[in-house]
């Protein structure tokens, strides 16, 4: 079982929050589930901090990040717009506090790498919520692939489809490059897809080419410069090839992250909208597996909080991620915790996708190392 870390050896872990939106709600629920004390919340203004404190049930609202960092938080959750992540995370690390920073870690590869280097130098835990790693059936798929159950990987057919930006009236801070960064659909959800593909298979995307599409050049009366959709061809280190389709304008798809992996002996498919299940395809028969801690592969049962048949979901996965981050603060080394190094990988892939689309050519991802 993941240990709910409520004591870092110097008393209960105390969590601070930057931002008060949807993700701050998810983070604070997960922090509570891990037994943390809510230290304080800061936002883009004192008024917004007060409102966030009420909405998140945090007793103390502070007027600035400096005031939060002067306080007694052991770890700070950064849940603010993308373009603020790099500067805020650097301040948190400089204050010697552990940090969980929402993805994308930064809007450039150079900034992401500087953050990972700063965290390593300061010796703090620095995690990025690639939380889909924490669905138990994702870990089951990973364990089965690692055990050789599907054989050598041949092809991948993956996607991440949503529809919350389908209408020209749909708008969001992510659609503005100034706050969202140069990439939207890929940086926001394609990063999850690539992280999960590499995490589950143990393989690496070594070359890619991509086409981006922006349907509306204007939303909410402001110009839009980043993409609504990305179509990607990938080559993996194993020699596997495949396609990734990422869109925030796929009508009817709400949070449809799918991995379908075809091996020489079997296939495996995970659908985030049906996270309790795995499809295992075979030449002779296909099987549907359901999450069951009593039959899970070794090391997978710890992600189940309730028995078979009692469905777990997104917040449970997030709770598992935060519990592991807190376990790392307590000195443990939980398997599969996504760190700032994974945030750097996502930034590297984002730059490769934007470069491939801009120059209409194949990109050697590793060559983008700075
Ligand atoms: C919006 O695309 C969003 O909330 C992402 O920002 C999250 O990372 C993803 O998990 C769900 O969709």
């Amino acid at each position: 079982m993941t240990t709910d870390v409520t004591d870092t050896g110097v008393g209960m872990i105390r969590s601070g929050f930057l931002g008060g939106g949807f993700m701050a709600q998810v983070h604070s629920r997960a922090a509570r589930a891990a037994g943390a004390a809510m230290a304080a919340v800061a936002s883009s203004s004192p008024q917004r901090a007060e409102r966030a404190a009420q909405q998140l049930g945090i007793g103390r609202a502070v007027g600035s990040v400096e005031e939060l960092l002067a306080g007694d938080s052991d770890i700070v959750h950064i849940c603010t717009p993308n373009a603020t992540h790099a500067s805020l995370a650097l301040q948190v690390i400089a204050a010697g506090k552990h940090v969980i920073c929402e993805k994308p870690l930064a809007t450039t590869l150079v900034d992401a790498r500087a953050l990972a280097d700063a965290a390593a130098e300061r010796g703090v835990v620095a995690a990025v919520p690639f939380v889909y790693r924490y669905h138990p059936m994702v870990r089951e798929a990973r364990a089965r692939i690692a055990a050789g159950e599907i054989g050598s990987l041949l092809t991948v057919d993956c996607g991440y489809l949503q529809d919350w930006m389908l209408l020209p009236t749909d708008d969001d801070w992510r659609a503005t490059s100034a706050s969202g960064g140069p990439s939207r659909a890929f940086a926001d959800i394609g990063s999850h897809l690539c992280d999960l593909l590499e995490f589950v298979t143990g393989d690496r995307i070594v070359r890619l080419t991509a086409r981006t599409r922006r349907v509306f050049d204007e939303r909410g009366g402001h110009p839009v410069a980043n993409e609504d959709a990305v179509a990607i061809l990938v080559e993996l280190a194993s020699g596997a090839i495949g396609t990734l389709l990422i869109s925030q304008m796929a009508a009817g798809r709400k949070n449809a992250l799918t991995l379908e992996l075809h091996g020489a002996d079997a296939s495996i498919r995970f659908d985030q909208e049906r996270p309790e299940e795995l499809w295992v395809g075979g030449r002779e028969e296909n099987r549907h597996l359901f999450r069951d801690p009593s039959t899970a592969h070794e090391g997978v049962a710890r992600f189940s909080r309730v028995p078979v048949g009692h469905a777990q979901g997104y917040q449970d996965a997030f709770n598992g991620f935060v519990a592991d981050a807190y376990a790392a603060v307590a000195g443990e080394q939980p398997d599969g915790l996504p760190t700032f190094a994974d945030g750097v990988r996502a930034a590297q892939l984002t730059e490769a996708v934007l470069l491939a689309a801009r120059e209409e050519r194949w990109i050697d991802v590793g060559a983008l190392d700075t």
Side-chain angles (χ1 to χ4, degrees):
M1 281 296 285
T2 304
T3 47
D4 288 356
V5 175
T6 56
D7 184 339
T8 57
V10 288
M12 180 181 279
I13 193 166
R14 298 185 57 76
S15 301
F17 297 86
L18 290 173
F22 158 62
M23 290 315 293
Q25 292 174 29
V26 174
H27 280 250
S28 59
R29 286 188 210 118
R32 279 198 177 80
M38 302 292 113
V41 58
S43 190
S44 51
S45 71
Q47 296 73 19
R48 284 173 178 259
E50 285 294 343
R51 189 163 64 235
Q54 286 165 13
Q55 288 173 345
L56 304 180
I58 296 175
R60 187 164 174 252
V62 293
S64 67
V65 59
E66 292 77 10
E67 196 176 344
L68 183 89
L69 297 180
D72 63 354
S73 305
D74 300 300
I75 190 166
V76 175
H77 293 246
I78 300 175
C79 308
T80 57
N82 300 349
T84 65
H85 292 174
S87 62
L88 290 173
L90 274 178
Q91 292 177 67
V92 172
I93 293 164
K97 296 185 184 292
H98 305 287
V99 57
I100 292 176
C101 182
E102 261 299 325
K103 28 65 54 192
L105 176 58
T107 54
T108 67
L109 175 54
V110 169
D111 283 351
R113 193 173 299 290
L115 288 171
D117 292 347
E121 196 173 316
R122 201 74 168 79
V124 296
V125 171
V128 178
F130 287 121
V131 291
Y132 297 116
R133 296 183 179 197
Y134 283 82
H135 280 308
M137 294 310 270
V138 165
R139 297 287 177 134
E140 183 69 23
R142 180 175 177 247
R144 285 170 179 259
I145 290 171
E149 189 168 315
I150 70 169
S152 59
L153 189 61
L154 305 177
T155 52
V156 301
D157 175 12
C158 307
Y160 198 157
L161 305 175
Q162 301 175 330
D163 69 3
W164 63 289
M165 294 294 273
L166 180 63
L167 306 177
T169 50
D170 293 328
D171 195 10
D172 182 76
W173 55 262
R174 294 175 181 80
T176 310
S177 300
S179 52
S183 168
R184 171 165 34 95
F186 185 84
D188 188 29
I189 58 176
S191 57
H192 276 297
L193 182 60
C194 292
D195 175 77
L196 209 64
L197 172 60
E198 294 189 333
F199 180 69
V200 168
T201 60
D203 212 333
R204 295 278 278 184
I205 299 168
V206 292
R207 294 181 76 233
L208 63 82
T209 189
R211 292 293 178 273
T212 57
R213 183 169 187 206
R214 178 172 59 251
V215 175
F216 302 119
D217 289 331
E218 197 178 273
R219 291 176 179 271
H222 67 79
V224 175
N226 49 31
E227 80 283 0
D228 294 307
V230 195
I232 305 174
L233 280 181
V234 293
E235 288 178 8
L236 277 62
S238 65
I241 59 171
T243 56
L244 314 181
L245 180 63
I246 294 119
S247 173
Q248 294 179 323
M249 296 186 68
R253 293 302 184 192
K254 304 309 177 186
N255 202 35
L257 187 167
T258 58
L259 287 185
E260 184 161 319
L261 312 169
H262 311 119
D265 301 330
S267 299
I268 275 189
R269 178 181 178 87
F270 173 77
D271 178 348
Q272 198 284 143
E273 291 183 344
R274 302 173 68 92
E276 293 278 278
E277 304 172 26
L278 270 187
W279 174 83
V280 179
R283 180 70 173 261
E284 305 305 324
E285 65 168 5
N286 296 343
R287 288 175 293 148
H288 242 110
L289 308 179
F290 291 87
R291 178 184 61 80
D292 182 348
S294 66
T295 58
H297 261 64
E298 188 184 349
V300 174
R302 80 180 182 99
F303 299 98
S304 283
R305 305 283 175 144
V306 287
V308 59
H310 301 64
Q312 292 190 188
Y314 173 80
Q315 186 69 53
D316 297 291
F318 220 102
N319 293 359
F321 159 70
V322 171
D324 267 8
Y326 289 8
V329 169
E332 293 184 35
Q333 292 184 327
D335 172 42
L337 177 68
T339 68
F340 275 20
D342 301 294
V344 172
R345 177 61 176 167
Q348 185 183 45
L349 287 165
T350 303
E351 295 211 350
V353 164
L354 293 181
L355 183 60
R358 190 166 57 245
E359 299 187 0
E360 296 194 353
R361 63 182 175 92
W362 283 88
I363 299 297
D364 175 346
V365 179
L368 292 183
D369 259 333
T370 55

